[in-house]
Amino acid sequence: MHPTMTRRQALRASCGAAIAVTGAMALAACGETQVVTVEKVVEKEVPVETIVTKEVPVEKVVTREVVKEVTAQRGAVKIEFHHDHTSGPRGSAMSWALERFEQTNPNILIRFVPQPEDFLDSFAIKQAAGTTGELALLSGYFMTAWVKSGAFTQINESLKRNPAWDPSAIFHTPDEFGLVYWNRVPSPHLDPVTGPLWGLPYQGNINAYSYNLDIMDSAGIDFPSEGSWGLETEYLDALTKATDPEIDQWGMRMTGAHHQFVQWWPLALADRDNLMPYMNEDGTHYECLDDGGDRGLQLCVDMIQKHKVSFAQEAAKEISGEFSSPFVAGKVLVDMQGGATGYNVGRIKDRFTWGMGPTPEGPHGPVPTIFGGQAHTATNTAQKTGTVEESVEVLLFFAGEEVQTRIAIDRGSFPMYKAVLDSPEFAAAPPENHVYWKRVANRTDHRHGQSSHPGRVEIIRAAGWDSMINGEESLDEGVPKLIAAKDRVLQNELERFNEIKTWAESLPT
């Protein structure tokens, strides 16, 4: 062996061609008494496998069992993994998962490629240029916009062949890694995964409420109990008690973010209980403000302008001070969490005590919440490079119990493997009562993000809420404009919406 060659290079130089030939003749060409097995050695970012030889009788080399072993270990396969989980609790979980995968899957080499903040824009450019990696973390609506053009690889058949695949084990957030066009209530998140699939879930997100328990104690507020936490009664009373402008302490932070309060309070206070977050089932009308839903939006406005339990949006930075948010600064009783409590854990530390608690309630029950997230998706590059099976191995590993348990420890997102919610890692504090997330996750009234609509981002952005929340225009002026703007997007995208739906329904599953 040349002194500068690795064992791997030397073996490939001497018998690389022979390994491509099946049967005893191929093995004999490399030495009659050798069985090739592969182990992994990690060198910085890219692991390199070491070739280990072991002498056995010739007749054993040609048995079906040994040939199967050699065939399976066809040499290291490289998977390029595009991701933006590079720091904080998400980065910690990802680093751990990559190292663990290298230990348990030595024949698959992951090249982790960090992505910039404008990940989706850069991915679109790479997709157009044909330079995407085999796998990428993407939002469902992005997949929907590209999937019919052939940007992704369907993985149903590969999943069926893999013994690790259990469609009942993971939460099914519809139309984020597959397409079932679930434009109705409730979300099927507790049901087995169905439909054509291009990826598997990784990063969960679910709305729930956390509370500053120190403020609660000092203001004489009893810890809330389910069934007695009315949005316009007990909850509002607690916010009022917690608010003290003289010390810059507030009940809550009201924002124009659709995924926090403004989207869900209209649903909670509407006259009917079957409204979707954005649009009706056939994709023609933005309906969440119909039938009294605008009362919820009025309450959002009133929290700032009438009840004065929230500061104006532009004051958030000043109140946050050196911290990341008013809640982390200890200035707010209530915070809306999306599953990533790990960020607050590291920032709050032991400055005050906080914990999870019940969701405020409307006439029909708890304020609706959204259960969604981001998935790892197999791009068309996996098909081009012939690595679909290996890509599915990666997808299953990152969606599986081991990695999702690690996510429960670092808490950069919500675990998507159901059994993890029963683990001690998930139950551990801080925050106090973290296990309350399980109660929220197992609710059967969840809405979802309707990611099957190719114009979802435009629907959200069209005629936003801020002008009304900031008092720049009344609801009588703003709501009709808002609905009209979003309905225009729906009408403009209706043909494409129906086209993708018809196409998805024709695919094998």
Side-chain angles (χ1 to χ4, degrees), residues 301 304-305 312-314 464-478 481:
V301 173
I304 298 174
Q305 299 179 18
Q313 290 193 85
E314 61 268 19
W465 313 87
D466 286 355
S467 61
M468 290 172 273
I469 289 177
N470 295 336
E472 297 166 5
E473 63 181 348
S474 68
L475 267 68
D476 289 341
E477 297 170 320
K481 290 195 297 186

Side-chain angles (χ1 to χ4, degrees), residues 4 16 25 57 75-76 165 179 181 225 268 304 311 323 344 390 393 395 405 436 479 492:
T4 62
M25 291 177 60
W165 171 234
L179 284 176
Y181 274 75
S225 56
I304 298 174
F311 47 85
F323 302 101
N344 281 1
E390 291 85 357
E393 285 287 345
L395 291 171
T405 298
Y436 190 81
V479 168
N492 291 339

Side-chain angles (χ1 to χ4, degrees), residues 48-219:
V48 179
E49 69 272 25
T50 298
I51 303 303
V52 178
T53 62
K54 180 172 58 179
E55 292 191 359
V56 295
V58 174
E59 60 272 20
K60 289 189 177 181
V61 175
V62 298
T63 63
R64 178 176 299 179
E65 179 180 355
V66 175
V67 171
K68 180 179 179 181
E69 179 183 353
V70 173
T71 303
Q73 309 238 11
R74 61 186 175 107
V77 173
K78 182 183 291 184
I79 301 293
E80 194 166 291
F81 201 20
H82 288 196
H83 227 285
D84 61 357
H85 284 199
T86 57
S87 62
R90 291 178 179 175
S92 297
M94 177 55 64
S95 296
W96 182 92
L98 287 170
E99 182 177 349
R100 180 61 180 156
F101 186 83
E102 290 170 355
Q103 295 169 355
T104 57
N105 296 270
N107 62 314
I108 302 175
L109 310 180
I110 294 180
R111 181 172 181 260
F112 184 84
V113 183
Q115 298 300 303
E117 291 184 3
D118 60 344
F119 183 21
L120 296 184
D121 292 336
S122 66
F123 183 86
I125 294 170
K126 291 175 182 177
Q127 181 59 232
T131 58
T132 56
E134 283 82 358
L135 296 173
L137 180 73
L138 293 171
S139 297
Y141 62 83
F142 190 85
M143 184 202 71
T144 302
W146 283 84
V147 67
K148 191 174 182 296
S149 67
F152 299 98
T153 297
Q154 191 177 346
I155 62 171
N156 291 73
E157 291 304 316
S158 295
L159 285 172
K160 290 176 185 176
R161 289 191 290 269
N162 197 305
W165 171 234
D166 180 358
S168 298
I170 57 178
F171 288 111
H172 181 197
T173 50
D175 303 322
E176 293 187 342
F177 48 91
L179 284 176
V180 291
Y181 274 75
W182 194 276
N183 292 326
R184 52 195 184 276
V185 174
S187 169
H189 66 287
L190 297 175
D191 297 338
V193 174
T194 58
L197 304 173
W198 291 267
L200 291 177
Y202 174 70
Q203 173 185 311
N205 187 78
I206 185 170
N207 303 107
Y209 287 69
S210 55
Y211 300 89
N212 184 317
L213 302 180
D214 289 356
I215 291 179
M216 193 170 281
D217 289 342
S218 63

Side-chain angles (χ1 to χ4, degrees), residues 94-378:
M94 177 55 64
S95 296
W96 182 92
L98 287 170
E99 182 177 349
R100 180 61 180 156
F101 186 83
E102 290 170 355
Q103 295 169 355
T104 57
N105 296 270
N107 62 314
I108 302 175
L109 310 180
I110 294 180
R111 181 172 181 260
F112 184 84
V113 183
Q115 298 300 303
E117 291 184 3
D118 60 344
F119 183 21
L120 296 184
D121 292 336
S122 66
F123 183 86
I125 294 170
K126 291 175 182 177
Q127 181 59 232
T131 58
T132 56
E134 283 82 358
L135 296 173
L137 180 73
L138 293 171
S139 297
Y141 62 83
F142 190 85
M143 184 202 71
T144 302
W146 283 84
V147 67
K148 191 174 182 296
S149 67
F152 299 98
T153 297
Q154 191 177 346
I155 62 171
N156 291 73
E157 291 304 316
S158 295
L159 285 172
K160 290 176 185 176
R161 289 191 290 269
N162 197 305
W165 171 234
D166 180 358
S168 298
I170 57 178
F171 288 111
H172 181 197
T173 50
D175 303 322
E176 293 187 342
F177 48 91
L179 284 176
V180 291
Y181 274 75
W182 194 276
N183 292 326
R184 52 195 184 276
V185 174
S187 169
H189 66 287
L190 297 175
D191 297 338
V193 174
T194 58
L197 304 173
W198 291 267
L200 291 177
Y202 174 70
Q203 173 185 311
N205 187 78
I206 185 170
N207 303 107
Y209 287 69
S210 55
Y211 300 89
N212 184 317
L213 302 180
D214 289 356
I215 291 179
M216 193 170 281
D217 289 342
S218 63
I221 301 168
D222 293 332
F223 190 82
S225 56
E226 294 178 349
S228 301
W229 197 227
L231 188 58
E232 298 178 285
T233 52
E234 294 91 352
Y235 178 74
L236 179 56
D237 288 344
L239 299 182
T240 303
K241 289 180 180 179
T243 300
D244 185 351
E246 292 188 4
I247 60 172
D248 227 3
Q249 181 175 291
W250 303 87
M252 62 173 291
R253 175 188 181 183
M254 175 52 63
T255 77
H258 77 282
H259 61 281
Q260 292 186 332
F261 303 102
V262 184
Q263 181 179 339
W264 306 111
W265 288 12
L267 297 172
L269 298 180
D271 295 326
R272 58 179 174 139
D273 189 32
N274 61 343
L275 298 175
M276 286 304 296
Y278 309 118
M279 62 181 181
N280 58 5
E281 188 169 350
D282 62 9
T284 58
H285 174 54
Y286 183 83
E287 67 172 6
C288 73
L289 298 180
D290 293 350
D291 299 327
D294 56 346
R295 288 197 295 270
L297 184 54
Q298 183 66 62
L299 181 60
C300 293
V301 173
D302 289 346
M303 289 296 184
I304 298 174
Q305 299 179 18
K306 178 181 177 181
H307 304 302
K308 301 187 185 304
V309 296
S310 173
F311 47 85
Q313 290 193 85
E314 61 268 19
K317 186 173 182 179
E318 179 181 353
I319 293 172
S320 300
E322 63 183 291
F323 302 101
S324 60
S325 73
F327 184 78
V328 172
K331 296 292 187 179
V332 177
L333 171 66
V334 177
D335 191 33
M336 169 69 82
Q337 290 286 330
T341 56
Y343 289 93
N344 281 1
V345 170
R347 292 164 180 166
I348 294 172
K349 299 180 180 177
D350 59 354
R351 292 186 298 106
F352 61 87
T353 305
W354 59 294
M356 310 305 298
T359 303
E361 298 149 358
H364 309 294
V367 170
T369 198
I370 188 171
F371 195 161
Q374 289 185 303
H376 288 144
T377 313

